[in-house]
Amino acid sequence: GVNGKKLKNKLHAYHELGRYTKLIHSIKVSGFGENLTNAKHGIFTGSWKKYLDYNIKSLTSNDKLIKLKVLNLDQSKEVKKIFENIKKQKYTFGLNHGDVSIWNTLVEKSGKVNLLDWGSAEVHIIPHLDFIHVVRCRVESGKPNDKEFSEFIKGYGMSQKEFKLLKPELLRLMLLISFDKLRWAIDRNPIKIKEFSKRAKRMLELNLN
């Protein structure tokens, strides 16, 4: 097959990506996060509550993100309210591919689309996490374009109206995830701090403006 990004017309490929994403979300799993401890029963060991509590408790006057000028103290208080409201919501958790992208496909001559690269798979909110990745690609690169994205959500079985209702939740979760990844970079991968700081600032603008 050929890599999907080389296709002149990518509409079918994006439709199939949406359909595959829906199928992936139907796989029975339990827990949260990336660490699979029991493959037979689909058990992951992370905790959504701990993940949220860590990010809420990190929003203090001594926060490293304030020192990095990602946000100021007043904005930190607003972000804390957003995260606390997320904690009150009830979500459905399931398996997410984590990198649903046209460049992670091989398309056969028959038109069959093969989804590759499962290295970012994890249990998280569905359909939110995989949609977040696709939306972030649209924000940062303009790909998929409007028609391609429309095919993706159609393949998933979601209407434009349903996506419009989902979008505010996606933006709030994108903020949470961007802050968490930046904190991870500060602690474990400093070379990523600049890139992740830029993304966190962008997500902050989208949520507070």
Side-chain angles (χ1 to χ4, degrees), residues 21-55:
T21 301
K22 182 73 171 183
L23 288 171
I24 293 165
H25 292 172
S26 71
I27 296 171
K28 291 184 178 180
V29 290
S30 62
F32 175 79
E34 302 173 349
N35 296 321
L36 175 64
T37 54
N38 188 321
K40 183 178 180 180
H41 298 288
I43 298 173
F44 289 70
T45 57
S47 166
W48 170 243
K49 183 179 181 300
K50 289 182 180 178
Y51 176 84
L52 264 174
D53 286 343
Y54 164 73
N55 282 284

Side-chain angles (χ1 to χ4, degrees), residues 3-183:
N3 190 283
K5 68 181 180 181
K6 295 182 179 180
L7 296 173
K8 290 183 179 180
N9 187 328
K10 301 178 178 64
L11 295 181
H12 170 71
Y14 273 107
H15 187 278
E16 289 297 277
L17 281 178
R19 188 171 69 85
Y20 291 169
T21 301
K22 182 73 171 183
L23 288 171
I24 293 165
H25 292 172
S26 71
I27 296 171
K28 291 184 178 180
V29 290
S30 62
F32 175 79
E34 302 173 349
N35 296 321
L36 175 64
T37 54
N38 188 321
K40 183 178 180 180
H41 298 288
I43 298 173
F44 289 70
T45 57
S47 166
W48 170 243
K49 183 179 181 300
K50 289 182 180 178
Y51 176 84
L52 264 174
D53 286 343
Y54 164 73
N55 282 284
I56 291 171
K57 291 176 181 177
S58 296
L59 293 163
T60 67
S61 58
N62 295 319
D63 193 349
K64 293 178 181 178
L65 272 58
I66 293 177
K67 295 177 181 178
L68 282 172
K69 297 184 179 180
V70 171
L71 76 173
N72 57 42
L73 186 56
D74 288 338
Q75 290 171 327
S76 177
K77 292 176 182 177
E78 290 300 310
V79 171
K80 192 170 187 176
K81 290 178 184 177
I82 292 172
F83 291 176
E84 287 173 342
N85 284 330
I86 289 174
K87 191 174 181 179
K88 296 175 184 177
Q89 302 301 313
K90 290 184 178 180
Y91 295 107
T92 300
F93 291 82
L95 185 65
N96 288 262
H97 178 273
D99 195 5
V100 177
S101 311
I102 197 70
W103 50 85
N104 278 337
T105 63
L106 280 179
V107 183
E108 300 177 16
K109 289 183 179 180
S110 64
K112 180 184 177 183
V113 179
N114 299 284
L115 179 58
L116 312 175
D117 192 358
W118 290 77
S120 298
E122 63 176 296
V123 174
H124 210 291
I125 300 169
I126 57 172
H128 300 58
L129 186 70
D130 278 329
F131 271 70
I132 281 170
H133 175 74
V134 179
V135 169
R136 191 175 71 236
C137 288
R138 279 171 60 78
V139 170
E140 295 178 355
S141 69
K143 300 177 182 179
N145 61 33
D146 290 346
K147 288 184 178 180
E148 291 164 348
F149 185 68
S150 180
E151 281 301 314
F152 174 79
I153 65 171
K154 190 183 296 181
Y156 191 86
M158 182 181 290
S159 68
Q160 290 286 350
K161 184 178 180 180
E162 288 171 325
F163 175 73
K164 189 175 181 179
L165 292 172
L166 181 67
K167 191 174 179 180
E169 289 186 27
L170 296 183
L171 290 175
R172 290 190 289 270
L173 287 167
M174 287 168 78
L175 178 65
L176 171 65
I177 292 168
S178 68
F179 272 40
D180 183 75
K181 287 189 177 296
L182 176 53
R183 295 189 191 285

Side-chain angles (χ1 to χ4, degrees), residues 68-71 178-179 196-206:
L68 282 172
K69 297 184 179 180
V70 171
L71 76 173
S178 68
F179 272 40
F196 287 179
S197 292
K198 184 178 180 180
R199 184 175 293 170
K201 287 180 182 179
R202 175 61 175 154
M203 291 304 111
L204 184 68
E205 290 173 1
L206 290 174

